[in-house]
């Protein structure tokens, strides 16, 4: 083989023969291999990225766990609360595509650090309305009566009291509240804070995953990603536990006399200290930004670190070559060229039929998942009569640990059996389908409606249809009661009354949560076993059978979450390996962008709008405007909520089967002798394709070369 000796030829044009001689001589006199450091740059980056994942998932879970508290605090319907929740994805939509493409060309760790700081600012902004809105005034009839005559304890139902004076006073207070109605739009700041948090989160996933995969060994990359997502699952666990703690604390704790509060955490008017979780998550996100400020723009591949110990002569030659490439890379590049390359890359990604099919399948599943997760605490509250605090606690200590174990085991299985594209696709979608079949049993573990006089039953305890409800009966026809208030009381007969006035109660004793109403005429028309005509504050609890069904629901939730998470890592790896290596970062970014835009934003809104249609009794706020829903039709809620989830997931498995068929056809066509679990499924078809890939990405890893289609 002839060797070029022209002076114009640089070291990068040396032929194989002299280089091979150097390698042979270097190997013969190779020094003793040094023990690798236990703390390499890649491991430091993995630790920093894992902590940032933990912090960002903590922030997101605090929002999910606080959505019902925000809904009640700002007196907004579920559809508006869904819009607030979807604003996070709006922030991602604004910058995700450009961050994914242009961010990969700059200092990725520092861009991630900037994103963590923006997330911190967004979390703090979300909590700010609490400090400007004043104290929370929940809806209650007793506040209105006592404000008219605070010196006497007026009975809820008294036909001889001066109703005219009471109405005039309440009307004056209503006008005063209308002046302060601007505070009801403070939820816009929560929306803006959540949107800003979405902007900050956008660079973490695409730049972090691509940085990790670029400098890791092929066989270690899936394991690192599994470790990353496993550590990230600690964030939701901590977030739900933090949300549980905050929901158990009264919103104005430390500023009001808790002894005067007449509601409990199980009451639909209760608002916990939702703002506290956002302040804590804002501080943790700021801390997460610190390690990225000290990480380099790029790292050596783990294979290159091992080769450095073989020959100093060979390292010198490679160093000259790398300096030559750096001099070329440091030449100024016009933005017009970069923009043109972006649109070309975008076209290449969307012309990949396998990738597009996977996107459509994931879009349906992600829409279902977002709707399920957003309104899951509300579903547990309304269906099983649980408090928001307990709903968050049960989710944090049962379902999420199962998800963490499932994700970790999925990564281990993929590494141990070296699952290729076909094996990963089959395993991932198989586990997802099994999870879906298990979740169908949710339909059979629902509870009956709350027994509320005038809404779900008549005043004599007989069931009524929704369109036949009536707030008044013979027992309370003489009482001058407001029908727009929600201040429920519970009788010994197991019936909940909308207010003590509508229960026909004539006397009141006690203070705060210990109030007891006596001589309630509506209790006399039912067959009360004790003969007691008194009622206490709050809704009547659901039956013991409902408590058992809640346990069944929790067990089903744990099992289904585990199987779904078991296939998550293989599917995630299959997603960015079905595109060309240099398009990997863009593919991950576009995947995240589309999931945010077409699932994350609209899903909470239309889920919330359909849930609003099942409301039986709306609350009221100043100026006579409609507030948050106080009680839902449990049956309608269950079939609407679960039916929409199942309706989105079911068609996704037809697309999953199409995706599997396309992957199997593509990879078996390249290497018919390859096994489904073999690592050779993704070997390029010919040497020419491989050489072109090497020319385009001289520093791409083996996993990238083997993952091309």
């Amino acid at each position: 083989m002839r060797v070029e000796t022209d002076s114009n030829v640089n070291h990068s044009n040396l032929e194989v023969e002299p280089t091979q001689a150097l390698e042979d001589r270097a190997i013969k006199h190779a020094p003793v291999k040094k023990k690798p450091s236990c703390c390499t740059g890649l491991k430091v980056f993995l630790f920093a990225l894992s902590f940032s994942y933990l912090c960002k998932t903590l922030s997101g879970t605090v929002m999910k766990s606080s959505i019902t508290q925000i809904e009640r605090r700002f007196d907004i319907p579920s559809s508006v609360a869904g819009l607030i929740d979807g604003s996070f994805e709006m922030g991602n939509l604004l910058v995700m595509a450009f961050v994914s493409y242009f961010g990969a060309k700059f200092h990725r760790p520092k861009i991630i650090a900037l994103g963590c700081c923006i997330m911190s600012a967004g979390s703090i902004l979300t909590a700010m309305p609490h400090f400007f809105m004043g104290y929370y005034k929940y809806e209650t009839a007793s506040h209105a009566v006592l404000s008219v005559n605070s010196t006497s304890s007026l009975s809820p139902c008294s036909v001889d009291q001066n109703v005219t004076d009471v109405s005039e006073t309440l009307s004056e207070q209503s006008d005063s509240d209308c002046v302060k109605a601007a505070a009801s739009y403070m939820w816009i700041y929560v929306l803006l804070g959540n949107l800003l948090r979405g902007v900050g989160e956008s660079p973490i996933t695409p730049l972090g995953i691509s940085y990790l995969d670029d400098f890791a060994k092929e066989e270690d990359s899936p394991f690192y990603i599994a470790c990353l997502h496993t550590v990230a699952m600690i964030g939701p666990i901590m977030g739900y536990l933090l949300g549980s703690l905050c929901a158990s604390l009264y919103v104005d704790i430390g500023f009001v006399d808790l002894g005067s509060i007449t509601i409990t955490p199980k009451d639909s008017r209760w608002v916990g200290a939702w703002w506290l979780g956002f302040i804590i998550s804002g501080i943790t996100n700021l801390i997460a930004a610190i390690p990225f400020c000290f990480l380099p723009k790029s790292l050596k591949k783990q294979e290159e670190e091992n080769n450095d110990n073989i020959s100093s002569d060979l390292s010198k030659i490679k160093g000259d070559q790398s300096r030559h490439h750096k001099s070329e890379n440091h030449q100024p590049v016009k933005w017009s060229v970069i923009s043109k390359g972006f649109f070309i890359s975008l076209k290449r990604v969307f012309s990949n039929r396998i990738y597009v099919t996977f996107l459509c399948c994931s879009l349906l599943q992600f829409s279902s998942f977002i709707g399920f997760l957003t309104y899951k605490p509300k579903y547990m509250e309304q269906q099983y009569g649980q408090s928001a605090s307990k709903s968050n606690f049960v989710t944090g200590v049962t379902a999420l640990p199962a998800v963490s174990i499932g994700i970790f085991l999925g990564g281990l299985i993929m590494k141990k059996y070296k699952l290729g594209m076909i094996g990963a696709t089959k395993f991932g979608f198989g586990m997802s389908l099994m999870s879906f079949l298990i979740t169908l049993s949710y339909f059979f573990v629902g509870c009956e409606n709350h027994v509320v006089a005038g809404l779900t039953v008549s005043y004599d305890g007989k069931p009524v249809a929704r369109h036949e409800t009536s707030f008044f009966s013979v027992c309370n026809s003489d009482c001058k009661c407001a029908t727009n208030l929600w201040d429920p009381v519970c009788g010994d007969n197991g019936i909940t009354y909308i207010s003590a006035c509508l229960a026909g109660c004539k006397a009141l004793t006690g203070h705060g949560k210990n109030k007891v109403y006596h001589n309630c005429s509506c209790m006399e028309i039912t067959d009360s076993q004790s003969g007691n005509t008194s009622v206490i504050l709050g809704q009547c609890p659901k039956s013991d059978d409902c408590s058992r069904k809640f346990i069944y629901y929790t067990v089903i939730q744990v099992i289904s979450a585990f199987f779904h998470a078991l296939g998550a890592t293989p599917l995630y790896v299959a997603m960015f390996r079905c595109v060309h290596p240099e398009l990997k970062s863009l593919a991950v970014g576009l995947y995240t962008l589309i999931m945010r835009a077409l699932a994350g934003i609209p899903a909470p809104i239309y889920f919330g709008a359909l849930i609003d249609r099942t409301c039986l009794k709306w609350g009221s706020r100043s100026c006579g405007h409609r507030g948050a829903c106080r009680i839902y039709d449990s049956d309608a809620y269950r079939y609407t909520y679960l039916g929409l989830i199942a309706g989105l997931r079911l068609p996704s498995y037809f697309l999953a089967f199409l995706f599997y068929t396309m992957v199997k056809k593509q990879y078996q066509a390249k290497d018919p002798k390859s096994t489904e679990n073999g690592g050779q499924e993704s070997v390029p078809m010919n040497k020419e394709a491989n050489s072109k890939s090497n020319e385009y990405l001289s520093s791409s890893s083996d996993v990238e070369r083997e993952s091309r289609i």
Side-chain angles (χ1 to χ4, degrees):
M1 183 180 294
R2 190 170 57 87
V3 180
E4 294 288 341
T5 57
D6 192 354
S7 60
N8 294 328
V9 179
N10 295 325
H11 291 290
S12 58
N13 292 327
L14 290 174
E15 295 293 341
V16 177
E17 290 181 355
T19 303
Q20 185 64 39
L22 282 174
E23 289 180 354
D24 295 339
R25 187 168 62 254
I27 293 174
K28 182 182 296 183
H29 302 285
V32 179
K33 187 175 181 180
K34 296 181 181 179
K35 184 178 180 181
S37 174
C38 62
C39 186
T40 62
L42 184 64
K43 292 181 179 179
V44 172
F45 180 82
L46 178 63
F47 173 81
L49 187 63
S50 299
F51 185 68
S52 67
Y53 259 60
L54 186 150
C55 293
K56 79 182 184 69
T57 52
L58 170 67
S59 302
T61 309
V62 167
M63 171 58 73
K64 296 291 184 185
S65 64
S66 304
I67 198 69
T68 55
Q69 311 295 306
I70 293 173
E71 180 180 330
R72 296 169 185 173
R73 182 64 182 95
F74 296 95
D75 269 322
I76 54 178
S78 296
S79 56
V80 176
L83 177 64
I84 293 175
D85 184 73
S87 62
F88 174 84
E89 279 72 26
M90 295 179 190
N92 268 257
L93 178 63
L94 292 175
V95 297
M96 176 60 74
F98 295 99
V99 166
S100 301
Y101 183 76
F102 296 112
K105 301 180 181 298
F106 298 99
H107 200 298
R108 285 179 282 185
K110 289 188 177 179
I111 295 177
I112 294 175
L114 178 61
C116 291
C117 293
I118 295 176
M119 278 200 299
S120 175
S123 296
I124 299 297
L125 178 61
T126 301
M128 285 298 102
H130 167 75
F131 301 98
F132 302 104
M133 290 184 65
Y135 298 150
Y136 172 53
K137 295 181 180 180
Y138 54 88
E139 179 185 2
T140 177
S142 60
H143 284 178
V145 173
L146 291 177
S147 65
V148 176
N149 189 350
S150 59
T151 61
S152 62
S153 181
L154 298 177
S155 65
C157 175
S158 180
V159 295
D160 58 349
Q161 70 183 23
N162 192 345
V163 179
T164 304
D165 293 340
V166 173
S167 300
E168 290 177 355
T169 305
L170 292 178
S171 177
E172 292 176 359
Q173 290 180 343
S174 178
D175 293 339
S176 176
D177 289 340
C178 286
V179 177
K180 301 178 182 180
S184 62
Y185 294 99
M186 293 292 286
W187 60 265
I188 296 177
Y189 291 96
V190 179
L191 184 147
L192 293 176
N194 204 35
L195 185 145
L196 187 62
R197 190 172 61 85
V199 171
E201 193 268 349
S202 59
I204 295 178
T205 297
L207 300 187
I209 293 293
S210 62
Y211 189 94
L212 190 66
D213 195 65
D214 282 346
F215 304 109
K217 292 181 180 179
E218 175 191 356
E219 61 270 18
D220 290 339
S221 180
F223 181 71
Y224 285 160
I225 293 175
C227 291
L228 177 66
H229 287 92
T230 302
V231 174
M233 284 307 302
I234 300 176
I237 294 174
M238 295 175 60
Y240 274 112
L241 294 179
L242 179 60
S244 175
L245 174 63
C246 294
S248 64
L249 304 174
Y250 188 65
V251 60
D252 294 318
I253 185 172
F255 297 95
V256 297
D257 179 16
L258 297 181
S260 63
I261 305 300
T262 61
I263 57 177
T264 64
K266 283 192 174 184
D267 198 292
S268 60
R269 296 164 294 171
W270 176 271
V271 176
W274 61 274
W275 50 273
L276 183 59
F278 290 103
I279 292 180
I280 294 174
S281 63
I283 295 173
T284 57
N285 277 300
L286 189 61
I287 296 173
I290 297 175
F292 292 105
C293 298
F294 302 98
L295 285 166
K297 182 178 180 181
S298 61
L299 298 170
K300 284 186 177 181
K301 295 181 184 299
Q302 293 180 341
E303 292 89 344
E304 291 179 359
E305 292 178 358
N306 296 332
N307 293 336
D308 285 344
N309 295 324
I310 295 178
S311 173
S312 58
D313 296 333
L314 187 60
S315 298
K316 183 177 179 180
I317 294 176
K318 290 184 177 180
D320 294 337
Q321 293 176 348
S322 64
R323 283 192 295 271
H324 173 71
H325 289 304
K326 285 182 180 179
S327 64
E328 292 178 350
N329 293 335
H330 287 169
Q331 293 178 358
V333 181
K334 295 182 179 179
W335 283 100
S336 59
V337 177
I338 297 178
S339 300
K340 183 179 179 181
F342 170 72
F343 289 108
I344 293 175
S345 300
L346 201 64
K347 182 179 178 181
R348 291 178 63 190
V349 170
F350 283 113
S351 62
N352 188 328
R353 293 180 298 171
I354 298 180
Y355 178 78
V356 172
T357 304
F358 185 87
L359 275 183
C360 295
C361 175
S362 299
L363 185 60
L364 292 173
Q365 295 224 3
F366 199 71
S367 298
S368 173
F369 174 75
I370 287 294
F372 171 75
L373 191 62
T374 302
Y375 296 102
K376 181 180 178 181
K378 178 191 282 287
Y379 178 77
M380 297 169 72
E381 293 174 47
Q382 293 296 326
Q383 191 68 212
Y384 302 102
Q386 304 297 323
S387 65
S389 176
K390 186 174 181 180
S391 299
N392 291 328
F393 180 80
V394 169
T395 303
V397 300
T398 58
L400 293 181
V403 171
S404 300
I405 296 172
I407 291 176
F408 184 74
L409 289 180
L412 280 181
I413 290 172
M414 192 166 186
K415 180 179 181 181
K416 180 178 177 62
Y417 296 100
K418 298 181 180 179
L419 296 179
M421 278 293 294
I422 299 177
T425 303
K426 181 191 294 185
F427 180 78
F429 282 123
M431 293 299 100
S432 178
L433 179 60
M434 184 178 296
S435 170
F436 171 68
L437 295 177
I438 294 173
T439 57
L440 293 178
S441 55
Y442 283 147
F443 286 97
F444 306 103
V445 291
C447 292
E448 71 283 351
N449 270 319
H450 281 283
V451 182
V452 183
L455 287 179
T456 61
V457 298
S458 61
Y459 278 85
D460 58 0
K462 296 180 181 179
V464 296
R466 289 186 63 181
H467 62 278
E468 297 176 356
T469 58
S470 176
F471 297 119
F472 291 100
S473 180
V474 177
C475 61
N476 59 18
S477 58
D478 294 334
C479 303
K480 306 299 181 182
C481 304
T483 59
N484 62 333
L485 291 176
W486 175 258
D487 195 11
V489 292
C490 176
D492 287 344
N493 55 5
I495 298 178
T496 299
Y497 299 91
I498 295 175
S499 67
C501 181
L502 288 173
C505 301
K506 306 297 191 300
L508 166 64
T509 59
H511 176 72
K513 296 183 180 68
N514 299 320
K515 285 182 180 179
V516 179
Y517 296 91
H518 306 281
N519 301 328
C520 303
S521 56
C522 291
M523 291 281 293
E524 298 174 357
I525 65 175
T526 60
D527 297 329
S528 179
Q529 296 178 356
S530 62
N532 186 11
T533 58
S534 300
V535 296
I536 59 175
L537 290 175
Q539 290 179 239
C540 294
K542 293 205 171 186
S543 64
D544 294 337
D545 181 61
C546 185
S547 299
R548 286 192 297 270
K549 288 183 177 179
F550 178 66
I551 297 175
Y552 301 152
Y553 169 85
T554 304
V555 173
I556 294 171
Q557 175 182 252
V558 172
I559 297 174
S560 63
F562 172 76
F563 281 108
H564 191 274
L566 197 60
T569 301
L571 288 179
Y572 193 81
V573 173
M575 180 267 297
F576 66 78
R577 282 190 175 177
C578 69
V579 296
H580 202 276
E582 74 269 13
L583 302 175
K584 183 167 47 181
S585 179
L586 180 61
V588 175
L590 286 173
Y591 172 85
T592 308
L593 170 67
I594 293 174
M595 295 304 108
R596 305 286 192 193
L598 302 183
I601 296 175
I605 298 176
Y606 61 72
F607 264 84
L610 291 175
I611 289 173
D612 285 338
R613 295 174 64 88
T614 67
C615 182
L616 292 175
K617 181 70 175 69
W618 290 95
S620 61
R621 55 178 178 171
S622 61
C623 307
H625 295 158
R626 191 177 74 175
C629 184
R630 302 306 182 192
I631 186 172
Y632 293 85
D633 184 334
S634 296
D635 292 332
Y637 192 153
R638 180 169 71 255
Y639 290 117
T640 299
Y641 175 67
L642 299 179
L644 187 55
I645 292 171
L648 288 170
R649 287 190 69 177
L650 182 60
S652 70
Y653 292 106
F654 294 101
L655 292 174
F657 179 76
L658 177 62
F659 176 80
Y660 172 72
T661 303
M662 295 170 68
V663 167
K664 189 174 182 180
K665 180 180 178 181
Q666 179 76 23
Y667 284 97
Q668 284 188 343
K670 288 181 178 181
D671 191 359
K673 296 181 181 180
S674 65
T675 60
E676 289 187 352
N677 292 340
Q680 300 299 320
E681 293 173 3
S682 52
V683 175
M685 294 179 62
N686 50 54
K687 295 181 179 179
E688 182 181 357
N690 193 22
S691 63
K692 289 182 179 179
S693 177
N694 292 337
E695 289 176 4
Y696 191 89
L697 286 178
S698 60
S699 62
S700 63
S701 63
D702 292 339
V703 63
E704 292 176 336
R705 296 189 186 102
E706 292 185 359
S707 62
R708 290 200 302 122
I709 290 181

